[in-house]
Structures are given as structure tokens and as C-alpha cells.
Amino acid sequence: MAKPNVINADEMGHVLGLLVHDLRNPAATITANVDFLQEVGLADTDSVEALQDVKLAVGELRRGLDMLAWISRWLTGQVPLEAANGDVGVFLERLERTDTPVPVTVEITEGDQLYAQGAQVAVEVVDLLLHNTRANVADPRATIRVYQQGSHVVIEVEDAGEAIAQELRKMAFTLEGQKALKGRLDGRYSRFVGLFAAAVVLDGVGGTIEADGEQGAAIFRVFLRGARPTRPPSP
């Protein structure tokens, strides 16, 4: 029996980067052609609906490519996603007024110091977790809570789905753990190894993520390091 090849993480990161680059070109071409056909207009309703389905599918593909790009950068020792410091509450309170994967309620603890390192990354990570809700919960909606805990700013995303099983929680955000999550109702697998991608992006700004909760009250909890607000220069 042949021995499995051992692949260097840096080399794998570079290969993933090439794949992302190569796949983005045809994805962009499909999107451009769908937009053109929608502008021109089609005669029958079925064709219009088919084009819309194609557009949604390509949007999902491009979302997956973004995650692969994050993992590629992480494997090669780069910051997966550059993210500015800021007030996490300010970034996330806007979600109630924007188009999100599922309806959300945002609860921000007033008076807490919510300025955090890499706060802007919270938007990407929460979006990823809301896609997880949409894929795994019968009545997909979520509550997002933002508060201070010691030296960290905490973001909780809670929904009415199945919580990740106790025995899976430590591995749920690792590369090797993704296979264990797949196919289990209490695994909460995210398409495009999304939970691993979330951990990778957070790692780039010194943040972490954990799973908690119980059946009917599943929780993902994100921790970002607190930071001091940047004061504008004196005139």
C-alpha cells in the first residue's frame, strides 16, 4: 500500500491560492453573462427563474472562494483578512437594517467598552455564522449579543437549532474536525468548511471562537481582544 504524501502547509497554501485565483475567473464570467441576460430580458418565467438560480449558486461559489483564500493566506503565514480596529457594536448594530442570511435581533450592552482589535472582522464571521443558521435550523433566525468580558469583547450568535455536541466542540473549528461534523445534526457543519474558516480569520486578529448551548438554544461565541480607541490628532 502506497504511503500518503506529506504536503508542506506553506506549499498547500500557495496551491490553494492558485486554485482560488483560477476559479474566480470563470465565476466572474458566469456572473457577467447572467447579468447581461437579465438586462436583455427573457421571454418566459422559467428561464428568468433559472437564471436567478444560477446567479445565487455563483454567489455561493464566490463566498466559498473567499473562505479558501483566507485559509490559503493563513497556511502561508499571512493575515487571512485585514480588519480595522473599531467599536464592535457599531459594526454589528447595522445588521438589523441590512439584508442578512436570516432575520436577526441585535442586543448591545450599553456602557461596555466594545472597541476591539480587528473589530471589522466581526461582520464577516457573523455573516458566516448566520449562513450556518440558515443551513441547520428549521426556523432560521438569530439573536446577536455584544458585550464586554474582562479584556475581551464578546459576540454571541444564538439560534433555535441543535447545539454542537459536547464531544465535537473542541475540534469543531479545526481542519481535521470538519469531517467529524459533516452529516451530524449536532455537528452544525458549515459549507466550505466555514467553521474552520471562521477560526482562521479570527486567528489573524488574535481572536477565538467556541461553541456552547443546548438543543433549541445553540450558541457560537466569538472573543476579540479589547483595544483602545484611536484619538484623532490634535489640530
Side-chain angles (χ1 to χ4, degrees):
M1 182 174 164
K3 292 183 179 179
N5 292 324
V6 177
I7 301 174
N8 177 276
D10 187 67
E11 290 176 356
M12 177 58 76
H14 283 294
V15 169
L16 281 180
L18 290 173
L19 287 173
V20 168
H21 179 270
D22 291 345
L23 288 168
R24 275 183 170 153
N25 288 329
T29 301
I30 295 170
T31 301
N33 280 281
V34 168
D35 289 342
F36 170 74
L37 290 172
Q38 286 182 323
E39 277 186 32
V40 171
L42 296 172
D44 63 284
T45 305
D46 288 343
S47 296
V48 172
E49 290 179 354
L51 270 184
Q52 186 59 30
D53 287 345
V54 171
K55 192 168 187 177
L56 290 172
V58 175
E60 275 291 280
L61 173 61
R62 296 177 84 160
R63 192 171 73 86
L65 290 174
D66 284 343
M67 292 187 210
L68 285 181
W70 299 340
I71 294 169
S72 165
R73 294 185 196 115
W74 179 75
L75 286 170
T76 55
Q78 302 175 64
V79 175
L81 183 64
E82 296 289 347
N85 295 354
D87 189 313
V88 178
V90 170
F91 283 119
L92 295 183
E93 69 179 353
R94 302 169 186 161
L95 293 179
E96 287 187 317
R97 305 188 297 274
T98 58
D99 185 24
T100 53
V102 301
V104 299
T105 301
V106 181
E107 299 175 358
I108 299 171
T109 304
E110 298 295 333
D112 277 1
Q113 298 299 314
L114 302 178
Y115 204 88
Q117 182 175 314
Q120 196 171 16
V121 86
V123 177
E124 296 288 351
V125 172
V126 168
D127 180 76
L128 191 155
L129 295 174
L130 295 179
H131 274 92
N132 182 284
T133 294
R134 188 173 72 179
N136 289 285
V137 182
D139 179 22
R141 60 186 63 247
T143 299
I144 300 167
R145 302 184 186 91
V146 187
Y147 57 91
Q148 181 185 15
Q149 186 178 88
S151 61
H152 288 82
V153 176
V154 182
I155 304 157
E156 283 187 357
V157 178
E158 180 177 343
D159 60 41
E162 187 93 19
I164 292 181
Q166 288 282 353
E167 69 271 18
L168 296 176
R169 291 182 184 179
K170 286 188 177 179
M171 68 175 74
F173 306 99
T174 66
L175 181 59
E176 58 273 18
Q178 301 312 297
K179 185 169 66 173
L181 303 182
K182 185 75 171 175
R184 287 185 55 162
L185 290 176
D186 58 0
R188 295 294 296 256
Y189 175 79
S190 273
R191 187 179 288 181
F192 313 117
V193 294
L195 295 184
F196 174 58
V200 161
V201 170
L202 287 166
D203 182 66
V205 296
T208 57
I209 183 169
E210 68 179 23
D212 200 356
E214 57 193 25
Q215 185 175 2
I219 295 173
F220 290 105
R221 193 173 291 118
V222 172
F223 298 86
L224 293 174
R225 293 175 182 169
R228 291 186 178 182
T230 304
R231 294 183 179 179
S234 302

